[in-house]
Amino acid sequence: MCHEFTRRSFLLGSAGAVSLPTFLGGFSSVAFANVPTNKRLTLVFLRGGMDSLGVVVPYADPAYASIRKNLAIKERDGQMIDADGFFAFHKNLAPLHDYYKKGQMAVIHAVATPYRERSHFDAQDLLENGTTKPNGSNSGWLNRAIQAMGGSRSTALGLSIGPSTQTILRGEGKVTSWSPSYLRVVDEDLLGRITRMYEKDALLHQNLQIAQENMGIADTQGKAARGDRAFITAMEAAAKFLAQPSGPRVAVVDMSGWDTHANQGSGAGGRLPGLLKVLSEGVTSYRQKTPDAVWNDTIIYIVTEFGRTVRPNGSGGTDHGTAGLSMVLGGRLKGGRVISDWPGLAENKLYENRDLRPTTDLRAASKAILTNHFGISNQIIDRNILPGSSGVRTLDLV
Amino acid sequence: MSREIESFIVLNRFGYGPDSLGLSAFKASSMKFLVSQLEHPEIPKHLADKTGIELSHRFLTAVRANKAKDVQKIVRKDMIKDYTSFVSDIVLQRMQTKQPFVERLVAFWSNHFTVSIDKPAILGLLRDYEYVAIRPHITGKFEDLLIAVVKHPAMLAYLDNWQSFGPNTWFAKFSRKGLNENLAREIMELHTLGVDGGYTQQDVIELAKMLTGWSIEMRNRKEPYPKFQFHDKGHEPGPKTLLGRTYKEDGMNEAIAALKMLATHPKTARRLATKMAVHFISDQPPERLVRKMESAYLRSGGNLGAMTRAMLDAPESWAEPLSKVKTTPDYIVSTFRAINFTPKEIHTITSLDSLDYKPYKASSPQGFSDENEYWAAPGALIKRTEWAQEVAMRIMQKVDPFALGKGLFGPVMSAETAFALKGAESQKQGLTLLLMSPEFQRR
C-alpha cells in the first residue's frame, strides 16, 4: 500500500500546486499572488459534546468533588496537571500542557454557543452555520470567512479533511477536500473523460473537479488509518496542506466519540481519557509537521457543540449539557491562561439545575481569530460571518 | 413514459439495479411487482442465525465477570468474524433477492434506527436486531417497529438504556446506577417527532423515567442470549407527564403507551414521510408527495405499508429517473449485479472499506445521510473512481461497455455518456466510465 501511495505522490507532486512556489520564488516573503493571507487556521470539531469538567478540571471549586461524585478526579491521584491553582489539565493532556506553559495555548471555560437546547445535530448545525439558530443559514461561517479573506470560486482557501465537506465550510467560497485512500491512482486522462461525461450534471461535475484539485497535496499517509490513528493522520494531512505557501488557509478536521453517556471514566481508564490521549497526539503531530515560521502564523481552534451535565448520570457517564470548553493553540497566541468567568459548580449556580452555566459566548473567541488573526473587520463579521454577534465582546486572545 | 424508463426506475429507484441482462429482462408489471412485495414480504430464513447473539452474551459475561482482557479479546475476534459474515450475507441477499424493494426498505428502516458497533457487544447483536426487530415490521404498523426496536438489546445497549434505572428505586440504590436520558431523547428527536417536535428537556426526562427498567436479563443460565427484560425493581415509581399528558404508574406499560402515542403523532407522520421521500425520491421532495404519504400514514393509524404504497402511487415518484445519488453500499451491490459478479466475503468487506463505508458504524445515532451531497462528496467520487477502475481491471471476459450501458440504461443514457463509452480507449477504461456515469451513480 505504501508503494502505491509513493506512486501517487510522485505522479501528482510534479504537476499540482506543489510546483507553484518555484515559479514564484521571487516573491517568497509576501503572500503568493493567488493566496491573500499567510495566516492559517485549523478548526478541530469534537463531535458529540466533550465533557469539559473531565478535561480541564476546576478542582479547586468547593463543590467539585461532591457534585462530580464518581467522576471526580482526586488531587493526590496524580491524574491531573495544575494549570493555575484552580484548574488542572487531565493527565492525558500533558503534551498540550507543554504548549500552555509556553504561552501557546489558552483554554476558554464555561463557554457556549447561543444554542440552549440539547440536540447534537442542531447544536452542531448552529455552531457551524454561525447564526443564532439551527439551520439559520445554508452556508458555514468559515466559508463566509474565507470569502471575506478574498477566497473566490477559483482560489480554494478552505480545506475539508474527511469524506464529505462539513457544514461549517459549505458555501460559495471554494473549498477543497482530502481523505486518505487505499486504492491505486486514477490517471488524468480518465478523470478528464469522466468530467466531460458529467457536463450536464452540476453536482457530480463540481465535486469531481474539487476532488481533482486536492489529490496532489497531502503526500503523507496515503494509507487510510484505522480508529484512533484516523484523527492523527487527518491532523498530519491538514498540517501538510496548510504548510504550503500557496495552499489552503482554513482547515476543518473532525474527531468524534465524545458523546460519553456511559463509562466515561475520569482518571486513567474509560472513554474520555482515551479520547484525550488521541487528541493530544493529533495536535502534537500537527505541530511536528508544521515549519516554525508557519506555526507562528497558525491557530488551532478546538471546539465542541456543547458541554455535558455537571452531575454524573446513572451509567457512569454524563448527558447532554450546555456550557463546555474550547481550546486555542498557536505560535503567537496570548496563551498560558484559562479564560473564564467561572460560574461555579454549587447546586444553585447550575444552568437549569444540571449544566455548567454559560458565561462566555464561543463567538468571542471566533471573533478574536477573525479580527486579530485574519484581519477581517468587525463590520463584516457582524454582518456576514457571525450575524447577530455585534454585542459579543471579542476576547483578547491573539 | 416509455416502458424502458419505467423499468429503469423500478429496478434502480426501488431496487438494486438490473443485472447484466439489462432492463429488457424485466418483464413484470411495474406496479404489481412492487406492491406484491409490500403485501407479501418474505423473510429470508437463512439470515436467522443466533451465533452472533450467543457471542455477545459470552462477551458481556466475560466483561461482567471481569475476566482478563485477552479472554474478552478472543470473544471479540469471533464477534468481528460474525459481523463481517453478516455484512457479506446482507450484500448477497440484496443482490440475489426476488424482492429487492423489501431489502431497500429493510436498509432504510435499519438506518433510521441506527445502532453502531462502536460498542463491541453490538457486533454480535446486529444480525438478530435486523432480523427480529426490523425485518418483520417494515410494512406493518410503525408502533410495532418502534417497540420492537426499543426492546432489542442492540438498541438498549447502543443508547445506554439497559443501564438506566429510576433514581428512587431499590435497584439504583443497590447498583449506584440511575437515570440515563440518551435513548429517551433520541426516540423523540430522531425516531419519532423530530427535533422541532415540541418536546422539552422535562419531556426527555419523563420519557427516560418511563423507560427505566427496560433492560436485559442480568442472570439466566438457561438461554445463552442477552434478552430483553423489564426490571420492575429498577423502574421509577410514580406518575409521569409526557407532552402534557399524565401517565399513571403502570410499570412497563407506561413506555409502551408513550411509544404508541409518539408513533401516531402528526409530527412523526410528517417526519417519517419526509425522510422516506428524501431517501427514495428526491433531496427536495415535492410537498404534494410528502402530503400524500403523510396522510396515508395518519389515515391508516401509522401503517408503513400504506405510507410506502402512497409513495409508489404518486406520479411525483416517477417523474425524474436520476434524482438520487446511490449510497455507497448500493453502488457496490448494483455494480456487482451489473457485471454478474458474486462476491466472496473478502470482496464485499474490502470494497466497503475502500469506499470508506463502515456498515453499522454511522458516526452518530442519526445514521447515514440520505442526501446526494454526502454520497457524491469530492473525496467519495475519487474513491468511487478508484474502486470502479479496480473492478473494471478484474473483468477478464470480453464486454462491450457501450452495449452493456445501452442494456442497463436504455433511453436514460445521455449523449455525453454514450460518447464517452464509445470513445473509450480500452475495455477497462470503458467499464470504469460506465460505472462512473451519472446514469450509474444515480437512480
Side-chain angles (χ1 to χ4, degrees):
Chain A
M1 257 184 258
C2 267
H3 169 72
E4 274 156 24
F5 193 72
T6 318
R7 266 200 306 148
R8 153 178 288 196
S9 26
F10 173 75
L11 242 158
L12 296 156
S14 56
V18 186
S19 59
L20 207 54
T22 350
F23 287 105
L24 299 170
F27 304 91
S28 60
S29 63
V30 295
F32 283 89
N34 58 345
V35 179
T37 175
N38 279 326
K39 300 292 180 185
R40 273 88 164 171
L41 168 67
T42 290
L43 181 135
V44 178
F45 204 128
L46 308 179
R47 300 206 183 249
M50 178 174 71
D51 181 46
S52 57
L53 298 180
V55 177
V56 176
V57 183
Y59 69 96
D61 187 302
Y64 169 71
S66 61
I67 200 156
R68 287 291 279 183
K69 298 204 178 73
N70 50 343
L71 291 183
I73 307 178
K74 289 175 197 76
E75 239 173 293
R76 62 176 74 130
D77 289 350
Q79 301 290 352
M80 43 186 186
I81 312 164
D82 183 55
D84 60 2
F86 186 85
F87 293 104
F89 282 40
H90 189 283
K91 186 192 67 174
N92 289 0
L93 289 181
L96 300 192
H97 190 261
D98 292 344
Y99 296 108
Y100 180 86
K101 273 188 307 195
K102 279 188 265 182
Q104 297 188 356
M105 174 183 182
V107 174
I108 307 149
H109 216 317
V111 67
T113 68
Y115 183 69
R116 290 292 175 274
E117 307 294 321
R118 295 184 183 85
S119 154
H120 291 297
F121 316 109
D122 276 0
Q124 291 179 17
D125 190 83
L126 181 144
L127 197 163
E128 299 192 67
N129 76 43
T131 72
T132 54
K133 281 200 297 278
N135 307 311
S137 166
N138 289 328
S139 61
W141 67 269
L142 280 181
N143 190 290
R144 299 192 294 273
I146 58 175
Q147 291 176 59
M149 287 168 209
S152 62
R153 283 183 170 279
S154 58
T155 312
L157 291 183
L159 167 68
S160 155
I161 302 282
S164 70
T165 305
Q166 298 91 341
T167 306
I168 196 167
L169 274 176
R170 288 195 192 152
E172 294 278 300
K174 194 166 177 185
V175 173
T176 135
S177 77
W178 181 85
S179 69
S181 174
Y182 305 106
L183 298 171
R184 77 195 67 209
V185 199
V186 290
D187 64 55
E188 284 177 28
D189 173 52
L190 176 64
L191 288 172
R193 287 169 191 253
I194 298 175
T195 308
R196 285 193 292 281
M197 203 164 50
Y198 287 174
E199 224 147 75
K200 299 222 170 81
D201 190 318
L203 172 74
L204 298 183
H205 192 265
Q206 181 199 319
N207 285 0
L208 186 66
Q209 226 164 17
I210 292 173
Q212 285 180 69
E213 282 151 21
N214 297 315
M215 287 174 53
I217 302 165
D219 73 27
T220 54
Q221 316 272 347
K223 248 184 345 180
R226 291 278 181 275
D228 295 348
R229 288 296 317 172
F231 173 69
I232 296 158
T233 308
M235 287 296 278
E236 286 173 350
K240 285 240 157 180
F241 269 94
L242 262 56
Q244 289 190 81
S246 57
R249 288 296 180 257
V250 176
V252 177
V253 182
D254 287 338
M255 180 177 173
S256 55
W258 299 88
D259 193 19
T260 49
H261 282 282
N263 313 322
Q264 174 174 308
S266 52
R271 289 170 63 194
L272 184 61
L275 290 163
L276 294 176
K277 212 166 177 176
V278 177
L279 177 64
S280 295
E281 210 180 316
V283 172
T284 311
S285 305
Y286 184 101
R287 171 64 185 96
Q288 279 161 3
K289 299 270 181 224
T290 305
D292 291 345
V294 175
W295 178 243
N296 285 336
D297 280 332
T298 295
I299 281 184
I300 302 177
Y301 184 24
I302 304 173
V303 299
T304 187
E305 68 261 32
F306 46 51
R308 309 188 68 83
T309 50
V310 170
R311 298 182 195 90
N313 67 11
S315 327
T318 46
D319 291 324
H320 303 180
T322 308
L325 68 75
S326 169
M327 304 179 214
V328 190
L329 293 101
R332 289 268 164 80
L333 203 74
K334 297 180 186 168
R337 299 174 294 155
V338 179
I339 301 168
S340 174
D341 175 7
W342 188 243
L345 296 180
E347 305 260 347
N348 61 348
K349 300 287 201 263
L350 302 185
Y351 178 70
E352 295 185 348
N353 185 32
R354 55 180 267 149
D355 304 340
L356 184 62
R357 180 174 296 280
T359 52
T360 304
D361 192 317
L362 183 67
R363 294 173 298 173
S366 307
K367 283 174 84 167
I369 294 167
L370 292 170
T371 52
N372 300 336
H373 188 58
F374 285 114
I376 300 172
S377 78
N378 273 315
Q379 198 193 357
I380 291 177
I381 295 172
D382 297 340
R383 201 180 51 214
N384 295 339
I385 303 179
L386 298 167
S389 71
S390 56
V392 178
R393 191 179 47 88
T394 305
L395 280 186
D396 183 23
L397 195 62
V398 189
Chain B
M1 189 192 316
S2 91
R3 164 73 192 174
E4 273 182 303
I5 295 180
E6 193 179 295
S7 302
F8 182 91
I9 294 177
V10 174
L11 295 175
N12 287 291
R13 171 158 303 160
F14 303 118
Y16 293 94
D19 63 16
S20 64
L21 295 176
L23 301 176
S24 56
F26 178 69
K27 305 262 194 260
S29 133
S30 304
M31 213 46 170
K32 252 195 208 150
F33 176 68
L34 296 171
V35 171
S36 74
Q37 296 182 52
L38 288 185
E39 286 171 354
H40 312 285
E42 281 161 22
I43 305 236
K45 295 205 173 52
H46 69 279
L47 290 179
D49 180 336
K50 296 273 184 192
T51 318
I53 198 162
E54 227 170 286
L55 287 166
S56 281
H57 183 73
R58 264 167 53 202
F59 179 77
L60 287 173
T61 316
V63 173
R64 266 192 221 128
N66 245 329
K67 286 256 176 66
K69 276 264 175 320
D70 40 322
V71 176
Q72 294 180 25
K73 234 190 193 157
I74 293 167
V75 188
R76 196 165 161 174
K77 235 180 168 172
D78 288 342
M79 282 162 60
I80 291 172
K81 252 196 239 154
D82 186 73
Y83 158 74
T84 52
S85 85
F86 170 57
V87 170
S88 167
D89 287 353
I90 283 291
V91 164
L92 287 176
Q93 170 66 14
R94 290 174 185 170
M95 284 182 62
Q96 293 164 351
T97 178
K98 299 236 165 355
Q99 299 196 322
F101 188 38
V102 167
E103 294 304 319
R104 289 285 307 280
L105 290 169
V106 171
F108 171 71
W109 290 111
S110 174
N111 186 54
H112 180 72
F113 290 110
T114 286
V115 294
S116 162
I117 57 164
D118 257 342
K119 293 197 172 151
I122 290 174
L123 279 168
L125 299 173
L126 281 175
R127 189 187 280 266
D128 191 72
Y129 177 64
E130 205 160 279
Y131 192 80
V132 170
I134 308 278
R135 208 173 260 284
H137 304 294
I138 52 162
T139 56
K141 286 202 154 194
F142 180 67
E143 63 184 38
D144 295 334
L145 175 61
L146 178 65
I147 291 168
V149 160
V150 174
K151 273 169 90 167
H152 197 280
M155 185 57 85
L156 291 168
Y158 176 50
L159 293 178
D160 305 304
N161 205 76
W162 72 281
Q163 44 177 345
S164 176
F165 299 107
N168 298 306
T169 61
W170 174 85
F171 214 107
K173 268 162 225 143
F174 198 72
S175 69
R176 302 179 54 207
K177 291 196 182 300
L179 204 65
N180 189 313
E181 55 190 54
N182 201 12
L183 177 63
R185 178 184 309 282
E186 304 306 12
I187 285 174
M188 290 199 278
E189 177 176 337
L190 300 176
H191 302 156
T192 62
L193 304 173
V195 69
D196 300 318
Y199 58 91
T200 64
Q201 172 59 35
Q202 192 55 38
D203 288 319
V204 172
I205 291 174
E206 296 289 305
L207 181 59
K209 283 183 190 165
M210 293 175 170
L211 284 166
T212 48
W214 285 53
S215 182
I216 56 178
E217 273 176 348
M218 300 294 168
R219 271 182 206 83
N220 183 347
R221 292 184 182 84
K222 272 179 271 159
E223 273 200 78
Y225 313 135
K227 266 177 55 182
F228 171 77
Q229 192 176 17
F230 176 70
H231 296 283
D232 200 28
K233 289 205 164 75
H235 183 71
E236 180 70 0
K240 289 103 187 161
T241 303
L242 182 65
L243 299 178
R245 191 177 135 193
T246 300
Y247 295 74
K248 274 192 299 196
E249 181 177 331
D250 193 11
M252 189 179 152
N253 292 331
E254 293 165 16
I256 298 273
L259 292 173
K260 286 185 173 171
M261 179 274 288
L262 291 170
T264 48
H265 198 286
K267 293 264 189 194
T268 301
R270 182 80 200 169
R271 179 172 157 70
L272 298 181
T274 310
K275 189 167 176 184
M276 184 177 243
V278 168
H279 179 86
F280 283 97
I281 310 300
S282 160
D283 278 14
Q284 277 96 35
E287 172 62 22
R288 280 170 58 90
L289 170 66
V290 176
R291 215 173 287 155
K292 284 177 201 166
M293 295 171 67
E294 178 188 19
S295 66
Y297 182 91
L298 288 171
R299 267 201 320 269
S300 63
N303 188 291
L304 296 177
M307 180 171 82
T308 311
R309 176 72 200 257
M311 173 173 79
L312 296 179
D313 284 337
E316 292 85 357
S317 301
W318 300 81
E320 156 54 53
L322 293 176
S323 58
K324 292 293 296 183
V325 172
K326 288 176 187 168
T327 66
T328 295
D330 290 6
Y331 174 57
I332 292 171
V333 170
S334 59
T335 299
F336 289 161
R337 279 180 58 78
I339 61 169
N340 271 9
F341 173 71
T342 308
K344 296 208 169 63
E345 183 176 316
I346 178 89
H347 301 126
T348 296
I349 299 302
T350 51
S351 293
L352 289 163
D353 203 37
S354 50
L355 291 176
D356 234 352
Y357 180 83
K358 297 173 177 60
Y360 305 99
K361 199 175 185 296
S363 60
S364 83
Q366 205 165 16
F368 292 100
S369 170
D370 282 314
E371 285 175 11
N372 289 348
E373 186 62 55
Y374 178 84
W375 299 106
L381 281 182
I382 287 292
K383 282 188 182 155
R384 287 186 180 196
T385 311
E386 291 168 342
W387 181 80
Q389 180 175 254
E390 208 65 44
V391 169
M393 225 163 50
R394 286 175 160 73
I395 297 175
M396 293 302 158
Q397 69 271 44
K398 227 172 146 30
V399 184
D400 173 358
F402 177 72
L404 181 58
K406 205 70 202 133
L408 295 172
F409 308 145
V412 177
M413 179 156 22
S414 71
E416 287 78 9
T417 298
F419 181 79
L421 297 185
K422 279 185 194 152
E425 63 179 21
S426 63
Q427 172 177 321
K428 178 188 129 192
Q429 190 186 61
L431 289 174
T432 311
L433 290 168
L434 173 105
L435 297 176
M436 288 312 294
S437 65
E439 296 86 340
F440 200 80
Q441 291 295 319
R442 291 173 172 274
R443 57 181 168 204

